[in-house]
Amino acid sequence: CAVRGVESQSETIWRQADRYAVPRIAFVNKMDRPGADFLRVVGELRDRLGAEPVPLQLPLGTAEDFRGVIDLVGQRALTWDDQTLGTRVDVGPVPPAFADLVREHRDRLLAAAAEGDEALLARYLETGDLAEADLRRGLRRRSLRGEVVPVLCGSAFRNRGVQALLDAVIDYLPSPADRPPVRGALPGGAIADCAARDDEPFAALAFKIVNDTYHGRLTFIRVYSGVL
């Protein structure tokens, strides 16, 4: 929460993610509330959760003046049209008033991405910059290793910033193909490692059973491999 910052439930979930080595990104929500302070919350991620937060965005205004975000990766301003409930995203240049702040935080972003591998670090030290694709690749590698936490912001209630958050899930979090195969029991009792592909043996976990008045017993499953 952009107002209340890191709360107790955030700490609980964070400890669980640490326990299972789950890569993660942080979304600072409710930027349209009075008292919202994005950079303060970024500091709390570091101080209270022991994270290494890397802001990918800066808010364009706060509270009732919040109208969008500045994309530090693409160096552009993103604003949302309330009339279309966030469906239309307007892309424009960074406002001159934010130039110094953007330069400061983008330099930190570049330094964090450059540590993704030696080739990127050498390129960054030579040129002082990275191409957008290289920047994303470096951040993704460090995010998957749990070294950094990309941070975004917005107002989910007003559909501001949610679109960029979904893009960040694709860019910086692991797909099923990035995770280790799941181990399951085959018919007959044999044990096999099943990768996340359609041509692998079917492996799934039934995690919930509900007795429905109209449909009877319903079983909710998560499919890890194969096809049902």
Side-chain angles (χ1 to χ4, degrees):
C1 177
V3 180
R4 295 191 297 270
V6 175
E7 300 177 86
S8 58
Q9 187 169 354
S10 301
E11 293 181 296
T12 300
I13 294 172
W14 203 272
R15 285 195 297 269
Q16 190 173 20
D18 282 339
R19 177 182 177 186
Y20 293 103
V22 177
R24 68 213 76 161
I25 56 181
F27 182 71
V28 180
N29 194 23
K30 303 178 183 178
M31 286 301 307
D32 57 337
R33 295 275 187 91
D37 189 332
F38 175 70
L39 294 180
R40 174 178 56 81
V41 178
V42 170
E44 288 189 14
L45 290 173
R46 180 181 297 105
D47 298 336
R48 296 184 59 178
L49 301 179
E52 187 58 44
V54 178
L56 305 184
Q57 301 172 341
L58 294 173
L60 273 173
T62 57
E64 65 273 5
D65 295 327
F66 177 71
R67 58 192 185 278
V69 301
I70 297 173
D71 175 16
L72 295 174
V73 177
Q75 300 186 84
R76 56 187 183 170
L78 307 177
T79 56
W80 283 269
D81 180 17
D82 288 339
Q83 300 300 319
T84 61
L85 298 178
T87 302
R88 193 180 76 202
V89 182
D90 295 322
V91 181
V94 174
F98 288 86
D100 291 340
L101 190 63
V102 167
R103 189 179 304 109
E104 174 190 349
H105 285 276
R106 193 167 194 278
D107 285 344
R108 296 176 184 174
L109 180 63
L110 288 168
E115 295 183 22
D117 62 46
E118 292 183 2
L120 288 179
L121 182 58
R123 193 172 307 150
Y124 171 64
L125 292 176
E126 180 180 349
T127 65
D129 201 358
L130 290 173
E132 188 172 330
D134 290 336
L135 203 162
R136 293 183 190 278
R137 187 173 74 252
L139 286 175
R140 178 180 178 82
R141 288 180 178 176
R142 297 199 69 199
S143 175
L144 295 185
R145 296 197 295 254
E147 297 173 353
V148 299
V149 178
V151 186
L152 301 95
C153 63
S155 171
F157 180 75
R158 298 179 182 273
N159 286 324
R160 298 176 183 175
V162 179
Q163 302 83 349
L165 172 63
L166 294 175
D167 289 339
V169 168
I170 296 172
D171 289 339
Y172 306 112
L173 293 184
S175 77
D178 294 320
R179 307 302 289 169
V182 64
R183 176 160 291 186
L186 297 174
I191 302 298
D193 289 333
C194 304
R197 297 200 308 268
D198 289 351
D199 58 353
E200 289 281 294
F202 174 68
L205 173 68
F207 63 87
K208 184 178 183 180
I209 296 178
V210 174
N211 289 313
D212 185 82
T213 303
Y214 300 102
H215 301 288
R217 190 170 68 173
L218 301 177
T219 303
F220 294 79
I221 66 170
R222 173 180 176 179
V223 178
Y224 288 90
S225 67
V227 177
L228 177 65

